[in-house]
Amino acid sequence: MKILVTGTAGFIGSHLALALLARGDEVVGLDNINDYYDQRVKYGRLVRGGILNELDEGPSIAYNQLLSSSKYPGYKFIKLNLEDKDSMMKLFETEKFDAVCNLAAQAGVRYSLSNPQVYIDSNIVGFTNILEACRHHGVNNLCYASSSSVYGLNEELPFSTDHNVDHPISLYAASKKSNELMAHTYSHLFGIRTTGLRFFTVYGPWGRPDMALYLFVKAAFEGGVIDVFNNGEMFRDFTYIDDIVEGIIRVIDNPAQSDPGWNGKTGRASTSSAPYKIYNIGNNNPVRLMDFITAIENKIGTTIRKNFLPIQAGDVPATYADVSDLIEDLGYKPATPVQEGINRFVDWYMDFFNVKVPKA
């Protein structure tokens, strides 16, 4: 297939693009390469994909110009904002995609508290442009990133895609819930097959610098102090990047189908009479935050200094994914052990930043 993957300078998107290329798909990657976090990591991901040859070439990437990979003949990249509707439509018209995986978005729960407009522009306006481009250019296979944050005030664990998600507690979560509603509307009106993926705390090599694992490892190597919220009594369904990518690929290969038995009185929230589906993708095995930190300390061989704090606005104390639909429909369940995933991340971090294990 020829697949548009948005967010390919990002964490999940960069891994997905390489996995699709490895199996023979043609990929057009898109990203605006904003400065939400350390751009060296974003440029490093583009170097890994052959879009750039060296990290210091990053700032010279021209806007709205297709670049070809020097490593992968089937890979092209374009620097573009999702909000740029005219350029987006032109890209769809020119490239004629078979499928789209929209992973580009303004990420981060806490950042949304102080920068709400960015989330509206990227996650609402940008996603509308993706839907419209699919509609007008015959793309009938769209998967997109949602988030476990949509569960908001729901306290019933594990989180099921049939649970109520009408009480988000951050604008980021609200924008992701909005994406699901918008996708259903386009599935219903125009027959576009849409699948939303509620990711649960993705981690691994090339991970985001604003995420806990990166911050904790950085502090371990630099002797810094980490903030541990809710006094460490947080549980997260940490999910390794390779497991996430495998799940996305299975979704791309098996686009949503309408449920002929669905009705508005008794139908499940995660399906529809339209070709629409929602999946959780999580490890189905929540880990206590303090145990996660201990696993990092075990790998590096040092104790990380900790600043214990109350829970922050917008945070939930626990996430836990019910992935029964993923198993039943796609025959798949994420399974990488947390210690193994952390070990791989630390090895990548040491290599990328050329650091050594601290002396005891």
Side-chain angles (χ1 to χ4, degrees), residues 2 66 76 89-97 137:
K2 186 173 189 179
L66 276 169
K76 292 186 286 188
M89 287 292 185
K90 179 74 174 194
L91 180 67
F92 272 71
E93 179 183 355
T94 303
E95 296 299 320
K96 298 177 171 51
F97 303 113
H137 294 95

Side-chain angles (χ1 to χ4, degrees), residues 20-35:
L20 291 170
L21 291 164
R23 72 172 198 164
D25 290 313
E26 188 176 351
V27 174
V28 174
L30 179 152
D31 205 292
N32 68 356
I33 323 178
N34 66 24
D35 60 359

Side-chain angles (χ1 to χ4, degrees), residues 199-323:
F199 297 136
F200 281 70
T201 317
V202 187
Y203 74 102
W206 296 98
R208 281 170 31 202
D210 64 319
M211 295 293 283
L213 176 57
Y214 188 105
L215 295 171
F216 294 169
V217 170
K218 184 174 188 290
F221 280 106
E222 296 178 0
V225 180
I226 64 172
D227 289 335
V228 182
F229 294 102
N230 205 32
N231 296 306
E233 291 303 314
M234 306 275 276
F235 289 81
R236 289 290 181 267
D237 209 347
F238 293 102
T239 313
Y240 188 64
I241 182 62
D242 290 357
D243 291 335
I244 289 287
V245 167
E246 174 65 21
I248 297 172
I249 289 175
R250 293 195 185 210
V251 165
I252 292 172
D253 290 345
N254 298 275
Q257 304 291 330
S258 58
D259 180 354
W262 194 94
N263 65 75
K265 292 182 178 180
T266 61
R268 299 177 62 197
S270 59
T271 64
S272 175
S273 55
Y276 165 90
K277 181 65 180 174
I278 298 291
Y279 287 111
N280 285 335
I281 299 188
N283 209 37
N284 193 228
N285 183 28
V287 174
R288 185 169 174 261
L289 181 59
M290 292 306 298
D291 294 336
F292 189 75
I293 294 170
T294 297
I296 298 169
E297 292 173 332
N298 289 341
K299 167 63 176 175
I300 300 175
T302 189
T303 299
I304 305 172
R305 295 160 60 203
K306 304 167 187 70
N307 179 32
F308 290 95
L309 297 168
I311 195 167
Q312 276 207 328
D315 273 355
V316 296
T319 64
Y320 179 7
D322 177 345
V323 295

Side-chain angles (χ1 to χ4, degrees), residues 16 36 108 121 125 129 132 174 182 248-249 309 329 357:
L16 176 62
Y36 168 62
D121 294 342
V125 175
N129 291 341
E132 279 288 280
M182 295 158 70
I248 297 172
I249 289 175
L309 297 168
D329 295 350
V357 173

